Amino acid sequence: SSGINAEWPLRPGNPEWENHFDYMMIYDCMHDLPHPAEAMKGLKGVIKDNGVVTLYDIYASSDMVKETKNPMSAVLYNTSLHHCMSVSLACGGVGLGTCWGVELAKEMLMEAGWEEEQLRFFKEGEFNAVFVMTKGKGLM
């Protein structure tokens, strides 16, 4: 026995969770996931029609040169390298890291099937990026 007694019920294709949730919040972890593109696609399948997903993450630019002008970039890249990317890469993932950036996040959400009219973005404070996605009409 491995001693692991965890179960991951939100894995893709689990019919028990299809159209199951009214609201989901992903808080500062999408960039840590081994396969965030799959997770983004899966979100749309598990929320109900007119459901809402909030993706709360670090506000950073995908443009590394632009981001390094931010005085906090050294801290963000350090955290990214020593935690976020390491977590993802250790699981065979893509290793996005903290500074994956709002541009790449939006691009990936669109590729995952979230349409422009279903997606809202705003910057909250100095360090927070908030994406709100709606399936159907949601809060629109």
Side-chain angles (χ1 to χ4, degrees), residues 61-134:
S61 174
S62 302
D63 180 340
M64 188 180 207
V65 173
K66 180 178 174 183
E67 188 57 35
T68 56
K69 294 179 183 352
N70 173 356
M72 288 298 294
S73 67
V75 172
L76 294 174
Y77 280 108
N78 189 317
T79 302
S80 186
L81 180 63
H82 291 95
H83 174 72
C84 306
M85 291 177 67
S86 300
V87 167
S88 177
L89 293 169
C91 297
V94 297
L96 288 179
T98 306
C99 296
W100 65 318
V102 296
E103 300 90 348
L104 180 57
K106 184 175 182 182
E107 180 183 318
M108 290 177 71
L109 287 164
M110 301 291 282
E111 288 173 3
W114 295 96
E115 298 170 19
E116 189 77 38
E117 62 273 3
Q118 297 175 315
L119 180 62
R120 298 291 180 263
F121 166 77
F122 60 96
K123 182 178 179 184
E124 192 260 336
E126 193 63 32
F127 301 107
N128 303 309
V130 182
F131 290 90
V132 179
M133 291 87 72
T134 57

Side-chain angles (χ1 to χ4, degrees), residues 47-68:
I47 61 168
K48 294 178 182 177
D49 289 338
N50 298 320
V52 178
V53 177
T54 303
L55 171 59
Y56 196 90
D57 216 299
I58 301 297
Y59 183 84
S61 174
S62 302
D63 180 340
M64 188 180 207
V65 173
K66 180 178 174 183
E67 188 57 35
T68 56

